Amino acid sequence: MRLPRRVPWAHISELEQICAWIFADGDDLEAKKSAVNRLSAWKATTALPHALESTLAILVVQLQDRSSQPSFSALNLRLAYASAIIRMVNGLVDPLQVGAFARSIASIAAQLGLPPWLVELRHAATHEDLPSLELLREAARESLSWLFHNYFQPTLNPSAPPPRSAALRPVAPLLKSYKQLMKTVTRDASLRKRQQGDIDVVMREIERWIAEAMVSADLANNVIIWGFDEHSESYGSDTKERAALEPLCDALFNIGALVPLAKKKRHAPMDPFLPTTSSKAIWGPLLNQLRLHHPVFPSVFISRAVYSLLGNSLQPDSAPEKEAEDSPRGVTYDEYLARWVVWAIQTWEETSEGENQLRKELLLALSPSLLPGKFASPEKIDILTTLLQTVTSGYEELESVAGLVFGSTRDVPEEGSCTNEPSS
């Protein structure tokens, strides 16, 4: 639930009246003057959202352009139109420049559904020759049309479907490219220097994907920065960041990423209960960079891993179905993902908020699945038990709590035991 936001109108009907003045009849100059006067009065008493600021700027230029006694020369009109359009595009795009690496204005504008040619015109007016007056007039009309569909209509009719925005591109191809590059350099260290540039490019692209996902989270929650208090504490940066990192973690947990596709590559010694050395060499740098740029990443990583481990196996309405022997996602998948959870906690525990915070989060998340009455398979329970034993070992308070959980359910397997196939 979002907190109430401050608006310049006393009642929504006032904004509806302005919308009618602007868009009901494109040739009614008196109505547009009324809209300009009302918007100017609002601006004199309070800050306007960016959409209304842009609307006011464009209307003022249009009225001057269509005046019977124009006081602007053609060049001044071109400059005024260009300024209004540049400010509109920049004001929409700049607040969405989030993440560790900058994104192109065109890519952000595409997510917002801005016509690409408006972005190109903005670039030309800023860095190249000033566009023609006719082109700028058409850009002003297109800008008002976009504002009508993306600001006025959604604000006046919140229950209406939001405007369509560009779909978020999949992150799996980026992870695949990263994996291929890292496999190359881990097999032949002499190629590291040659491939490092390409690796850096892919890692930056993954960070840009996270920024795109954060914008998509805004759009999905109907939150666009118009200049008010939409980004309140109830929907802050942490919430957006988590919403972007969750699908990234899910993609990392897909078979073929953190968990190798071939089952024979999932075999590792039970002590230490960690991924193989080659897996850590491939994925460790990316995971550590994500943790560096996103403080909430460790918590999101653990929570999504637990969600993936538990899956549907703990639903009370049905007994678990045993994985087929040739299923790529079975006992060996769960065990290997559990190894990554141990690695993450041991690697990042010093960055978590509070002492042993990640270990406590994992204990709280997994304990209910080990209580009596749950329908998890014995193999799954053994893996979860081994995971909890490993992360709580050496921490007296956590060991005590885990011991209560184990003691209330079933005999605890010997430490290090697991139903997975023996390593080879």
Side-chain angles (χ1 to χ4, degrees):
M1 179 178 175
R2 263 180 270 157
L3 298 176
R5 59 189 175 91
R6 180 169 49 89
V7 295
W9 53 84
H11 191 273
I12 194 65
S13 60
E14 296 180 9
L15 181 65
E16 190 172 3
Q17 179 63 73
I18 287 180
C19 183
W21 282 334
I22 299 171
F23 299 105
D25 184 354
D27 296 324
D28 189 345
L29 297 185
E30 290 303 316
K32 286 181 169 51
K33 288 179 183 178
S34 298
V36 167
N37 291 337
R38 178 67 62 83
L39 290 171
S40 299
W42 284 353
K43 186 176 181 180
T45 58
T46 187
L48 293 179
H50 179 65
L52 293 183
E53 280 271 14
S54 299
T55 301
L56 176 59
I58 293 172
L59 287 176
V60 168
V61 182
Q62 285 183 329
L63 288 175
Q64 183 59 46
D65 189 9
R66 299 173 67 177
S67 172
S68 58
Q69 295 180 335
S71 58
F72 279 16
S73 65
L75 177 59
N76 286 339
L77 277 176
R78 290 165 68 193
L79 289 170
Y81 270 124
S83 175
I85 294 165
I86 289 170
R87 287 177 62 83
M88 186 195 81
V89 174
N90 287 351
L92 288 169
V93 170
D94 287 350
L96 301 178
Q97 278 286 14
V98 294
F101 299 98
R103 297 172 56 201
S104 69
I105 290 177
S107 66
I108 299 176
Q111 279 194 278
L112 293 174
L114 274 174
W117 74 274
L118 278 183
V119 179
E120 294 173 4
L121 183 140
R122 170 232 167 250
H123 180 84
T126 305
H127 303 290
E128 300 171 1
D129 294 336
L130 202 61
S132 68
L133 185 56
E134 284 303 318
L135 186 60
L136 288 165
R137 286 169 175 160
E138 179 59 30
R141 289 190 288 268
E142 185 75 15
S143 298
L144 285 179
S145 175
W146 188 90
L147 289 167
F148 173 73
H149 289 99
N150 290 269
Y151 177 76
F152 285 97
Q153 277 194 334
T155 304
L156 295 172
N157 187 13
S159 62
R164 294 185 63 182
S165 57
L168 182 65
R169 58 175 171 153
V171 70
L174 294 176
L175 297 179
K176 184 177 179 180
S177 297
Y178 170 83
K179 176 184 174 182
Q180 291 173 339
L181 288 168
M182 290 300 295
K183 285 177 70 174
T184 299
V185 299
T186 53
R187 289 171 179 170
D188 186 351
S190 65
L191 298 175
R192 166 72 68 170
K193 188 174 181 180
R194 185 189 309 173
Q195 300 286 352
Q196 189 60 50
D198 293 335
I199 294 171
D200 292 341
V201 167
V202 175
M203 294 176 83
R204 283 196 296 270
E205 280 302 307
I206 292 173
E207 284 292 336
R208 291 191 177 101
W209 183 91
I210 294 172
E212 292 175 20
M214 292 175 70
V215 174
S216 291
D218 273 349
L219 298 175
N221 287 276
N222 199 24
V223 177
I224 298 180
I225 302 176
W226 293 116
F228 279 139
D229 302 322
E230 278 88 346
H231 283 64
S232 62
E233 292 181 2
S234 60
Y235 191 76
S237 58
D238 276 3
T239 305
K240 288 194 303 178
E241 199 167 23
R242 284 181 173 274
L245 292 173
E246 285 179 355
L248 174 61
C249 288
D250 293 343
L252 285 167
F253 299 153
N254 284 337
I255 296 172
L258 290 184
V259 180
L261 179 61
K263 287 186 177 182
K264 63 181 181 180
K265 293 184 178 180
R266 303 175 191 174
H267 295 311
M270 294 306 298
D271 187 14
F273 191 67
L274 293 168
T276 61
T277 302
S278 59
S279 283
K280 290 185 289 184
I282 291 172
W283 294 104
L286 174 61
L287 297 178
N288 283 325
Q289 174 174 284
L290 291 170
R291 186 265 303 169
L292 179 65
H293 292 307
H294 307 280
V296 300
F297 180 70
S299 178
V300 176
F301 184 92
I302 299 300
S303 64
R304 295 309 293 178
V306 169
Y307 179 83
S308 183
L309 282 170
L310 298 184
N312 296 321
S313 63
L314 301 176
Q315 297 296 327
D317 298 331
S318 60
E321 295 183 6
K322 187 174 178 62
E323 292 279 357
E325 288 298 325
D326 58 347
S327 173
R329 182 162 181 161
V331 175
T332 56
Y333 170 89
D334 291 337
E335 186 202 316
Y336 206 84
L337 183 55
R339 291 173 180 272
W340 273 113
V341 173
V342 174
W343 177 89
I345 290 177
Q346 292 182 355
T347 305
W348 301 330
E349 61 182 349
E350 76 280 359
T351 67
S352 61
E353 298 179 359
E355 186 179 1
N356 301 324
Q357 184 61 33
L358 293 179
R359 298 175 192 270
K360 292 176 181 178
E361 288 181 11
L362 182 67
L363 180 58
L364 288 173
L366 290 185
S367 293
S369 66
L370 296 172
L371 295 177
K374 298 299 181 179
F375 289 93
S377 66
E379 296 87 353
K380 178 87 72 174
I381 290 175
D382 285 348
I383 291 171
L384 300 181
T385 301
T386 301
L387 172 57
L388 275 186
Q389 285 179 322
T390 304
V391 299
T392 59
S393 178
Y395 298 85
E396 184 176 349
E397 180 183 357
L398 299 182
E399 280 185 315
S400 176
V401 176
L404 292 175
V405 174
F406 299 148
S408 67
T409 55
R410 55 191 65 82
D411 291 336
V412 181
E414 292 295 323
E415 185 170 355
S417 68
C418 195
T419 58
N420 187 26
E421 302 91 345
S423 60
S424 58

